[in-house]
Amino acid sequence: MAMQAPLWLYFPQNNQALQVIQLPTDNHPLEGLNGRYVLLGYLAHNHCQVSPLYGPECEMVPAISSGFSNVNLPIVGILAIPQGSGGTDFHTVYERQRDDGDFLRVVLTDFCRPDASGCPSKVWLLDGLGHTIQFNQAPFPHGFPPPASLAAMEVAPISHALQLFGPAMIDEELASLMPSVTPSLVGDIEYDYSCYTDDSLMQFETNPIDFDPIATFPPVVNPSTVFHQDLIWQGEDTPLSSAYRKDITRALNRTPWKRPLFVTKGIYLGSYWVGLQNPFEFLEKLPQAMENDRRLLSNCFLMAVEMNHTTLQELHETPLLVETQTGNQSIGWDVLRLTFSKYVESRNVEMRKVIRGCILSNTGFSGIEKADQDAKVIYFFRLLSSDDRNHVQQAISEIVQLYMFSELVWVSVFQHSSGLAEGNRQGRIADLFPEEIQGQDGLLGSGLVATLLTVIYRALHIWLPERTPGHKLSVIHRIIVASLGKMYANKHLFPQFHEAMRKLPFITVANVLPIEVKLLEPKMSVNDNRLRNMNDVLPIVTYARDPTHPGLPNSVFTSLHSQRAMREVDGSCFRGGL
């Protein structure tokens, strides 16, 4: 039987919610039910899903504010869902038992309103849920059977997948409440050890290039839709040969294409690391993830072009001239985008090498003997693979306190890269995503933490003997996300975890070795020609910050969602699928 989007029924007499089984012959989950059923709200349940909750109209008692007063399930909060008419509906989100909705509670929000019980509850905008949370839309928002005026409308469940830089799912009233902040530039550039090992076109030379100051974009709510012939992406892609990729790399130097592509790489990889898209579903080549990746990369390219103060048409009119053994070729974005096909996979491999180097080196992971290392790997792997959420949370709490995790945080988003900031200055991927990297509570964002913990799980699995059973990465990622929800929401239960999350946004190169990924050992000291060791690693220094400052600690530049000139590729560019 094909998997259907979950739909739940509430039984008020025994305060129980049960999931409806839809048979292959049924047109929808509610087919065959007698009487009328109304939408009570939504239910937060397993695998980080939010699904519709219905109940028998004849047994439900309308609440004074909204919803129904005799739903006695625990309340998680309220979900703001946009409607085709331009308005927004507010639905209470319940959970079957305490902690089921922790994955939603950890999502930060600036809004609240009365829930069905009349008490103030957090309000989450649908567009802000993030890719790790699966939203299943109610097939009959006006109840079942639908009112006569709507009976002819065929409504099907719609899965929500966050599209990077997609339209804000809010009406004008909510938009007027959104805070507006002005980006600023602070901090000096530190010395840098680059952990990037690829020889791709994204390596940026250090010769000075003049760029205009960083632009401050006016706040926008709805992005403009962009259509251009170069953005059309349909059918199968032909992989580029290694030789041709090298030809492209040589051709890029000192061309208008180089910096837009370099910035695209930072936005693209950063989007995956901070959880705007799920990198593990993409690596497993799930069909929807592959389609989402095309949209993500195309939208990242649009943003990079905007940040570089150029236009698609200007780049179109200046194709890249590539010299090959068979002659010269003029190419544009329709070919250059194919150079990104292995970036996520290659970066995951690189980070796993960092993990392996931390295990093999004297970083405090375990003893220096192979038996000690094996025992610690098995210990963490079994905890993370456990069906007991407490064991998973124990592993998370211990892992984030390891030096290994700090270096992964730095390698993934906090190391400086020449050319990412304008004027060929060094910048950090983190500064492209300040709101995702550090929440309003000052803690390191859960999206990044979940991604890095999943990479660690994979590295531990590879360390173990071949054929050792374990979870698929997309599955363990969902387990970690759900476990993190309770940890972020309960500081008193996880004080050491919260302390680590509070410090990590302040990390700099002085707080890492770092690991040389080709050699799986620390880099050489630049002063006395020796391998660096943990005595060279300084403690992370935190400091009180101006709460009105919108950027991250030690930021070189700041790119806020509310300050971006947001554009997205027209959906017609992707019709026809893969």
Side-chain angles (χ1 to χ4, degrees):
M1 182 174 65
M3 294 296 293
Q4 304 291 336
L7 184 146
W8 298 77
L9 282 186
Y10 179 67
F11 297 84
Q13 293 182 352
N14 55 6
N15 191 36
Q16 189 175 26
L18 300 178
Q19 184 175 344
V20 179
I21 296 176
Q22 179 178 349
L23 299 178
T25 55
D26 294 340
N27 294 318
H28 54 78
L30 297 177
E31 184 170 334
L33 290 175
N34 294 323
R36 178 168 171 77
Y37 289 80
V38 291
L39 179 63
L40 307 181
Y42 284 83
L43 190 75
H45 57 100
N46 57 319
H47 303 308
C48 299
Q49 295 192 70
V50 179
S51 303
L53 178 67
Y54 286 83
E57 185 178 45
C58 62
E59 299 183 43
M60 304 314 302
V61 179
I64 296 177
S65 54
S66 63
F68 300 87
S69 61
N70 61 329
V71 180
N72 294 317
L73 297 172
I75 292 176
V76 181
I78 298 172
L79 195 59
I81 303 176
Q83 302 304 305
S85 61
T88 299
D89 282 350
F90 296 91
H91 292 279
T92 299
V93 180
Y94 301 92
E95 57 187 354
R96 297 176 71 192
Q97 57 187 6
R98 297 291 180 185
D99 300 339
D100 280 359
D102 282 351
F103 65 87
L104 188 57
R105 290 187 175 96
V106 75
V107 179
L108 297 179
T109 178
D110 294 323
F111 307 110
C112 68
R113 66 172 281 113
D115 57 31
S117 69
C119 297
S121 279
K122 293 181 179 180
V123 175
W124 293 282
L125 310 181
L126 179 60
D127 194 47
L129 292 187
H131 184 73
T132 57
I133 298 177
Q134 180 72 32
F135 171 70
N136 302 304
Q137 186 165 323
F140 299 99
H142 302 284
F144 177 81
S149 60
L150 300 173
M153 296 175 60
E154 182 177 342
V155 185
I158 300 173
S159 295
H160 165 71
L162 178 66
Q163 299 295 328
L164 181 63
F165 315 134
M169 305 295 243
I170 50 180
D171 58 16
E172 292 181 0
E173 179 181 359
L174 276 178
S176 66
L177 299 175
M178 297 293 285
S180 174
V181 252
T182 304
S184 61
L185 307 174
V186 298
D188 298 324
I189 298 174
E190 301 175 282
Y191 65 100
D192 178 33
Y193 297 94
S194 175
C195 271
Y196 286 96
T197 60
D198 58 27
D199 57 354
S200 69
L201 57 90
M202 292 305 152
Q203 296 300 323
F204 212 85
E205 71 269 26
T206 57
N207 297 329
I209 301 176
D210 292 330
F211 290 108
D212 294 330
I214 293 180
T216 299
F217 300 120
V220 295
V221 174
N222 293 314
S224 58
T225 301
V226 178
F227 178 88
H228 193 281
Q229 63 186 55
D230 291 351
L231 296 174
I232 297 175
W233 197 344
Q234 298 173 3
E236 296 288 339
D237 294 329
T238 302
L240 303 180
S241 68
S242 176
Y244 192 34
R245 289 174 62 91
K246 291 180 180 178
D247 291 336
I248 291 175
T249 300
R250 286 192 297 269
L252 275 169
N253 284 328
R254 303 189 182 283
T255 69
W257 283 94
K258 185 157 192 179
R259 186 168 185 267
L261 292 182
F262 181 72
V263 176
T264 299
K265 177 187 178 183
I267 304 172
Y268 175 65
L269 290 178
S271 299
Y272 275 117
W273 301 158
V274 303
L276 293 179
Q277 295 269 8
N278 189 324
F280 310 105
E281 292 180 354
F282 171 66
L283 292 174
E284 292 172 5
K285 300 188 182 302
L286 302 184
Q288 188 59 51
M290 302 301 289
E291 175 67 20
N292 290 341
D293 179 75
R294 289 186 170 187
R295 295 176 181 270
L296 170 67
L297 178 56
S298 300
N299 286 334
C300 290
F301 176 61
L302 281 184
M303 182 177 174
V305 169
E306 188 76 27
M307 292 177 66
N308 199 53
H309 312 298
T310 186
T311 66
L312 279 173
Q313 189 59 32
E314 289 173 350
L315 292 175
H316 174 78
E317 294 171 356
T318 315
L320 183 67
L321 185 62
V322 181
E323 296 182 7
T324 68
Q325 293 181 347
T326 58
N328 295 339
Q329 297 180 6
S330 296
I331 62 174
W333 173 243
D334 58 331
V335 174
L336 291 170
R337 66 193 179 200
L338 302 181
T339 62
F340 289 78
S341 61
K342 299 293 184 181
Y343 278 152
V344 176
E345 179 180 351
S346 297
R347 196 66 171 130
N348 269 270
V349 170
E350 184 178 80
M351 289 198 288
R352 291 201 300 268
K353 290 181 179 179
V354 171
I355 296 167
R356 191 173 186 87
C358 288
I359 295 174
L360 293 171
S361 304
N362 187 16
T363 64
F365 177 83
S366 66
I368 60 176
E369 299 297 331
K370 180 67 163 56
D372 296 331
Q373 296 166 354
D374 290 344
K376 201 58 172 288
V377 167
I378 293 172
Y379 168 75
F380 281 128
F381 184 77
R382 286 178 174 173
L383 286 178
L384 288 172
S385 301
S386 173
D387 293 332
D388 188 331
R389 184 185 294 185
N390 292 324
H391 291 167
V392 177
Q393 291 165 343
Q394 177 185 342
I396 292 173
S397 185
E398 293 182 24
I399 288 174
V400 299
Q401 297 177 66
L402 295 173
Y403 167 79
M404 175 180 69
F405 190 80
S406 296
E407 174 141 340
L408 274 186
V409 170
W410 179 80
V411 166
S412 60
V413 296
F414 279 100
Q415 68 170 329
H416 287 102
S417 183
S418 296
L420 194 58
E422 298 198 44
N424 198 35
R425 293 180 300 152
Q426 293 184 334
R428 309 177 302 179
I429 289 178
D431 295 320
L432 293 166
F433 302 94
E435 293 118 322
E436 291 83 1
I437 294 295
Q438 186 180 35
Q440 294 177 346
D441 53 7
L443 304 183
L444 191 67
S446 62
L448 175 63
V449 175
T451 299
L452 298 183
L453 288 169
T454 306
V455 175
I456 290 173
Y457 180 86
R458 176 58 176 160
L460 299 177
H461 200 178
I462 292 174
W463 181 284
L464 297 174
E466 191 175 0
R467 299 185 183 279
T468 299
H471 292 299
K472 293 176 63 176
L473 293 188
S474 58
V475 174
I476 191 64
H477 182 257
R478 289 195 295 269
I479 293 172
I480 289 172
V481 168
S483 299
L484 283 172
K486 182 175 181 179
M487 299 181 75
Y488 274 90
N490 295 276
K491 179 179 179 179
H492 64 289
L493 296 178
F494 305 96
Q496 293 175 316
F497 170 81
H498 273 254
E499 179 64 14
M501 296 301 100
R502 184 185 65 83
K503 289 182 177 180
L504 284 169
F506 292 83
I507 194 168
T508 71
V509 70
N511 312 125
V512 295
L513 286 170
I515 294 294
E516 170 57 72
V517 294
K518 292 182 178 180
L519 302 176
L520 302 181
E521 62 184 20
K523 285 182 174 286
M524 297 292 293
S525 170
V526 295
N527 296 322
D528 43 13
N529 195 31
R530 61 171 175 79
L531 292 181
R532 286 168 57 84
N533 57 56
M534 293 301 292
N535 292 328
D536 298 306
V537 177
L538 300 178
I540 297 175
V541 176
T542 62
Y543 53 87
R545 300 179 61 236
D546 182 352
T548 64
H549 175 66
L552 295 171
N554 309 305
S555 59
V556 178
F557 66 93
T558 297
S559 178
L560 297 170
H561 283 298
S562 59
Q563 301 294 321
R564 294 171 184 158
M566 296 166 62
R567 302 191 297 167
E568 64 175 2
V569 178
D570 190 279
S572 63
C573 293
F574 306 101
R575 288 173 187 161
L578 298 172

